């Protein structure tokens, strides 16, 4: 049987040794109409393989409710057509700076710390999901005429846990589903990570951004034989809202890549092309060192990652530096990069003249309001991405006391008797001004992305403790949720009644922009603060004046010649116009 195998010293295809020159590109972060162009860019850089994760929560938003699982299969077909092999990393956990590390909110809300262990309830959900997902992979394995040559078991498990029984059960689930290509694990090149994350008899690979000789030396201490591979060569990095933009010099990254290849190893560039966290799917991290118990650090919408192929699909100096290195390991001349995709013809701006307050948006698109003894979490309200309005009336008569929130995640805009009273966060949980009896308090809480890495992965969102007046808990809290996917129904969004001009207030803004020559564009929102943007019903993701990201990427296929519908959901202070360039 012709196929791909792990040999004593090398990877082998049809009996001959090969070196995998792979690049990460996530199908869910790239508009499908642009897959072919981006894959051609990888080929032109000198790669022979593409790697992708699979985000479980994107494809199963509610238990047993599936959304376009077939997208993975279409992407693998596109990779095959582009002449690339494929490595699939199906999770169930993926990290990837993705919401909740790819785990569904309804799952982690139910099982808590039992996620990513041998726990029967958790593994039962994984088994059911794999039965739905894995046919997309199995029928596209290389020995069946497809591009898939390897499949990962979990992801960087040694950075999280040590449940070897769990890892073996996952491997058995993959095998039982018909995965016949080699399995592998990937972990940091540290003893405790390789000990906790690897499985006897399954290829172990290492993840790092530099120091290949040292990293592979550690790996060899655990696996004396077998091909070496850096499964994640971190050639760039990601950004957090409110922090500095991260870059890595092209020559420095190219030198680190050369060192990997000089070790005789295979490599997967992470990322070769990063793409975009559309629709609010960006995850978050926590500071605080090894315990990851510090402040929340939400990830920006762009996943450009300072990759060799940038967010717009353009070549960068890093692309040319990598191509020069990779060309030395190619058996034939590398193809030239494909022609750039069209860009927007002329810059255009539009005033969004229709406005509706957030309460009106909730009335049309939100869940019914219900009263609870204590504030329900986002998980209890079945909210993956979006916001919740919590409302409570302070008993009275009583004198003004400080009002604070325990266990707030992530950010609450607070109104007292209809007037904005401040913004609360985990680090600033108490309003500046005290609140008197009989006051109606509203807290609009938005999830800024669930933690995707470390021991805080899977933590609940919203108000997870309680609302305090002085030291007294306030009970009888009313809650109403607004999921982002409620905006998927365009007719419902258009049905939200207009209330005149917003004049900088939070709410839903609507308008149109005329485009003569559609193409890739960047969207600027001068004067806006924080929220989400849709163009022709496509959710571009979160914007935030905190930076460092200042514009949103608009894929050319989203725009059309003529009128284009624009919606902006502003959660703090709105602007007047949006600008496409």
């Amino acid at each position: 049987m012709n196929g791909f195998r792990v040999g004593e010293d090398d990877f082998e295809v049809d009996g001959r040794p090969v070196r995998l020159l792979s690049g990460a590109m996530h199908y869910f972060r790239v508009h499908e109409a642009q897959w072919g162009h981006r894959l051609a860019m990888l080929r032109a850089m000198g790669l022979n393989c593409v790697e992708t994760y699979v985000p479980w929560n994107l494809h199963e938003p509610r238990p047993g409710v599936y959304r376009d699982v077939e997208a993975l299969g279409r992407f693998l077909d596109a990779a095959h057509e582009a002449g690339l092999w494929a490595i699939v990393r199906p999770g169930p956990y993926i990290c990837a700076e993705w919401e909740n590390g790819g785990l569904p909110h309804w799952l982690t809300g139910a099982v808590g710390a039992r996620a990513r262990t041998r726990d029967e309830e958790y593994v039962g959900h994984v088994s059911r999901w794999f039965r739905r997902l894995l046919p997309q992979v199995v029928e596209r394995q290389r020995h069946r005429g497809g591009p898939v040559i390897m499949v990962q078991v979990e992801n960087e498990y040694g950075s999280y846990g040590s449940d070897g029984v769990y890892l073996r059960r996952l491997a058995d689930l993959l095998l039982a589903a018909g995965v016949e290509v080699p399995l592998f694990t990937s972990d940091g090149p540290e003893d405790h990570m390789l000990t906790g994350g690897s499985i006897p008899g399954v290829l172990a690979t290492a993840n790092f951004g530099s120091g290949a000789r040292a990293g592979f030396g550690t790996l060899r201490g655990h696996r004396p034989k077998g091909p070496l591979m850096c499964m994640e060569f971190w050639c760039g990095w990601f950004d957090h809202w409110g922090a500095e933009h991260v870059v890595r010099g092209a020559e420095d990254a190219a030198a680190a890549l050369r060192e990997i290849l000089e070790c005789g190893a295979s490599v997967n560039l992470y990322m070769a092309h990063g793409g975009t966290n559309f629709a609010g799917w960006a995850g978050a991290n926590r500071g605080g060192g090894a315990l990851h118990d510090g402040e929340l650090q939400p990830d920006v919408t762009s996943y450009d990652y300072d990759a060799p192929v940038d967010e717009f699909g353009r070549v960068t100096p890093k692309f040319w530096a990598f191509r020069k290195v990779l060309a030395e390991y190619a058996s034939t001349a590398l193809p030239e990069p494909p022609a750039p995709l069209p860009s927007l013809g002329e810059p255009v701006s539009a005033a969004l003249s229709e406005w509706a307050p957030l309460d009106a948006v909730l009335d049309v698109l939100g869940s019914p309001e219900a009263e609870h003894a204590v504030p329900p979490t986002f998980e209890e309200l079945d909210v993956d991405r979006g916001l919740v309005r919590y409302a409570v009336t302070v008993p009275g008569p009583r004198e003004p006391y400080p009002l604070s929130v325990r266990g707030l995640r992530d950010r609450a805009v607070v109104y007292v008797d209809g007037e904005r009273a401040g913004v609360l966060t985990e680090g600033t949980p108490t309003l500046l001004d005290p609140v008197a009896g009989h006051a109606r308090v509203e807290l609009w809480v938005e999830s800024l992305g669930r933690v995707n890495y470390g021991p805080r992965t899977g933590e609940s969102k919203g108000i997870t403790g309680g609302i305090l007046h002085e030291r007294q808990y306030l009970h009888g809290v009313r809650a109403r949720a607004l999921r982002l996917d409620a905006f998927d129904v365009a007719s419902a969004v258009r049905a939200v009644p207009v209330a005149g001009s917003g004049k900088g207030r939070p709410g839903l803004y609507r308008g149109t922009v005329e485009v003569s020559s559609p193409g890739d564009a960047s969207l600027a929102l001068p004067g806006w603060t924080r929220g989400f943007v849709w163009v022709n019903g496509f959710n571009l993701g979160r914007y935030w004046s905190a930076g460092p990201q200042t514009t949103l990427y608009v894929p050319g296929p989203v725009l059309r010649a003529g009128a284009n519908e624009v919606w902006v959901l502003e959660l703090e202070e709105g602007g007047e116009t949006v600008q496409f360039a």
Side-chain angles (χ1 to χ4, degrees):
M1 177 178 66
N2 292 335
F4 178 90
R5 65 182 295 269
V6 175
E8 282 290 306
D9 301 300
D10 302 291
F11 294 116
E12 297 177 4
V13 169
D14 303 337
R16 57 182 175 85
V18 297
R19 187 193 301 257
L20 296 182
L21 304 174
S22 179
M25 171 183 156
H26 302 152
Y27 65 94
F28 46 93
R29 283 180 159 130
V30 181
H31 193 287
E32 184 166 351
Q34 297 175 328
W35 287 350
H37 176 267
R38 304 302 197 258
L39 291 167
M41 292 290 290
L42 268 57
R43 286 276 291 134
M45 189 164 42
L47 303 179
N48 57 22
C49 185
V50 64
E51 172 267 309
T52 187
Y53 282 125
V54 180
W56 182 2
N57 51 6
L58 175 68
H59 293 300
E60 193 177 3
R62 292 182 172 92
V65 177
Y66 299 104
R67 178 169 53 196
D68 197 17
V69 180
E70 294 71 26
L72 172 62
R74 297 196 302 274
F75 177 73
L76 295 174
D77 292 342
H80 194 41
E81 186 176 345
L84 294 166
W85 294 318
I87 296 170
V88 180
R89 303 167 81 182
Y93 163 83
I94 63 171
C95 184
E97 290 70 61
W98 188 260
E99 161 83 12
N100 217 26
L103 297 172
H105 73 286
W106 50 261
L107 175 61
T108 54
V111 304
R114 292 179 285 129
R116 302 183 74 189
T117 72
R118 72 188 79 179
D119 175 74
E120 289 298 333
E121 182 182 1
Y122 170 74
V123 174
H125 283 293
V126 175
S127 177
R128 178 180 50 78
W129 162 236
F130 273 7
R131 286 196 299 271
R132 181 66 176 82
L133 169 69
L134 289 175
Q136 299 297 317
V137 178
V138 168
E139 64 191 40
R140 292 174 173 87
Q141 296 175 99
R142 188 178 183 277
H143 58 277
R144 297 192 182 188
V148 178
I149 57 171
M150 286 203 297
V151 173
Q152 180 172 271
V153 182
E154 240 272 2
N155 183 63
E156 292 187 317
Y157 187 69
S159 297
Y160 178 82
S162 60
D163 192 344
V165 173
Y166 164 60
L167 291 182
R168 175 52 65 185
R169 289 194 66 179
L170 285 185
D172 290 344
L173 288 177
L174 294 169
L175 296 173
V179 175
E180 298 173 291
V181 296
L183 304 179
F184 69 93
T185 59
S186 64
D187 289 284
E190 299 185 40
D191 287 332
H192 71 286
M193 295 180 181
L194 289 165
T195 301
S198 59
I199 310 172
V202 173
L203 176 71
T205 66
N207 301 339
F208 50 78
S210 59
R213 290 180 176 85
F216 287 137
T218 302
L219 180 59
R220 274 288 180 242
H222 292 257
R223 296 297 172 89
K225 299 294 291 182
L228 293 172
M229 184 165 186
C230 178
M231 188 54 68
E232 289 187 18
F233 164 50
W234 303 317
C235 56
W237 206 244
F238 52 91
D239 288 337
H240 292 130
W241 288 115
E244 295 294 318
H245 175 51
V246 182
V247 296
R248 182 178 187 179
E251 293 308 317
D252 173 69
L257 172 61
R258 184 179 295 279
E259 183 182 355
I260 292 171
L261 299 177
E262 287 174 347
C263 291
S266 292
V267 68
N268 179 51
L269 309 179
Y270 195 97
M271 300 288 297
H273 170 58
T276 310
N277 294 312
F278 297 119
W281 283 109
N285 291 282
R286 282 198 176 272
L291 293 179
H292 295 272
D293 221 21
E295 67 173 335
L296 188 78
Q297 300 169 323
D299 298 326
V300 303
T301 295
S302 172
Y303 202 62
D304 177 83
Y305 211 88
D306 194 31
V309 179
D310 76 3
E311 189 175 12
F312 283 71
R314 301 172 298 201
V315 297
T316 66
K318 193 174 289 182
F319 175 94
W320 295 115
F322 282 10
R323 177 179 159 102
K324 182 179 179 181
V325 173
L326 294 167
E328 300 174 20
Y329 296 86
S331 57
T332 61
L334 300 183
E336 291 301 309
L341 295 177
S343 295
L344 186 69
E346 295 289 339
V348 291
S349 63
L352 305 184
S353 56
E354 295 185 357
W355 172 80
L358 287 177
D359 286 332
V361 180
L362 262 185
D363 287 340
V364 177
L365 301 177
S367 67
E369 185 172 68
E371 186 169 307
H372 307 259
V374 297
T377 65
F378 276 39
E379 287 70 24
E380 290 168 327
L381 294 170
D382 189 27
V383 178
D384 54 359
R385 297 151 298 130
L387 61 153
V388 172
R389 183 189 69 189
Y390 297 95
V392 65
T393 300
V394 179
R398 61 176 66 183
E399 63 184 88
Y401 286 117
L403 186 134
S404 59
V405 180
R406 291 193 63 189
L408 172 62
R409 307 188 188 119
D410 303 321
R411 185 178 179 90
V413 182
V414 185
Y415 298 84
V416 177
D417 290 331
E419 297 295 323
R420 177 172 161 140
V423 175
L424 300 183
T425 65
E426 287 180 306
T428 54
T430 304
L431 285 177
L432 286 176
D433 297 326
V435 177
H438 300 300
R440 173 181 167 84
V441 179
E442 290 187 356
L443 305 98
W444 292 80
V445 180
E446 180 202 359
S447 170
L448 298 174
R450 285 178 175 81
V451 172
N452 55 255
Y453 179 81
R456 297 281 292 263
T457 303
E459 66 182 10
S460 296
K461 287 295 187 181
I463 298 177
T464 65
I467 302 171
L468 289 167
H469 195 229
E470 203 258 347
R471 75 197 68 182
Q472 181 188 78
Y473 280 109
L474 298 180
H475 296 110
V477 179
R478 298 177 298 282
R480 195 170 191 184
L482 179 63
R483 288 175 58 118
L484 276 190
D485 58 12
F487 290 81
D488 293 348
V489 183
S491 59
V493 179
R494 298 185 190 113
V496 177
V498 175
S501 172
K503 296 182 179 179
R505 290 176 287 181
L508 176 64
Y509 292 76
R510 297 183 305 218
T512 58
V513 61
E514 292 288 333
V515 171
S516 57
S517 300
D520 281 359
S522 60
L523 176 67
L525 295 103
W528 302 80
T529 306
R530 181 173 57 90
F532 294 88
V533 183
W534 290 258
V535 174
N536 295 326
F538 184 90
N539 189 337
L540 300 178
R542 176 183 286 108
Y543 65 89
W544 195 354
S545 59
Q549 183 175 355
T550 57
T551 61
L552 294 177
Y553 171 58
V554 185
V558 169
L559 294 171
R560 53 183 176 239
N564 291 262
E565 195 171 13
V566 181
W567 310 327
V568 176
L569 183 67
E570 169 61 54
L571 302 176
E572 295 200 35
E573 295 180 39
E576 295 181 356
T577 63
V578 295
Q579 301 170 352
F580 293 81

